[in-house]
């Protein structure tokens, strides 16, 4: 059972690494092609938006972990 848990954690870590590193690289490469649909915004705008969304997601995850940990501490005291 422990091996399955480690595999799950490794899969989640790999997913987030690809999400954090891979998406900006893909955005940059798509804008380098400059073929087809022309947008009104540039790659810097898209990367800025992606950074804001990623920052918000990290904030929500961290807040959820903090709330869970606090509830666990309260139950331990009682």
């Amino acid at each position: 059972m422990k091996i399955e848990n480690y595999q799950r954690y490794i899969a989640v870590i790999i997913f987030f690494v690809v999400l954090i590193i891979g998406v900006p690289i893909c955005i940059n490469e798509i804008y380098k092609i400059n073929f087809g649909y022309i947008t009104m915004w540039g790659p810097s705008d898209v990367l800025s938006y992606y950074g804001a969304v990623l920052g918000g997601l990290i904030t929500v995850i961290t807040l959820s972990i903090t709330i869970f940990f606090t509830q666990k501490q309260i139950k331990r005291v009682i």
Side-chain angles (χ1 to χ4, degrees):
M1 289 298 276
K2 289 190 177 193
I3 293 174
E4 292 175 3
N5 286 337
Y6 289 129
Q7 289 176 346
R8 184 176 298 156
Y9 289 136
I10 290 172
V12 168
I13 289 171
I14 290 172
F15 173 75
F16 280 114
V17 167
V18 168
L19 185 70
I20 292 169
I21 295 174
V23 171
I25 292 172
C26 288
I27 290 171
N28 189 34
E29 292 301 319
I30 289 171
Y31 272 94
K32 277 185 184 178
I33 294 171
N34 200 15
F35 177 74
Y37 185 71
I38 298 173
T39 61
M40 296 176 60
W41 52 83
S44 62
D45 298 329
V46 176
L47 289 174
S48 175
Y49 173 75
Y50 176 71
V53 169
L54 192 62
L57 182 65
I58 290 171
T59 302
V60 168
I61 290 170
T62 305
L63 184 62
S64 300
I65 291 170
T66 303
I67 290 171
F68 176 73
F69 180 73
T70 304
Q71 287 177 345
K72 195 173 179 181
Q73 290 289 56
I74 290 172
K75 287 179 183 178
R76 188 180 302 175
V77 171
I78 294 177

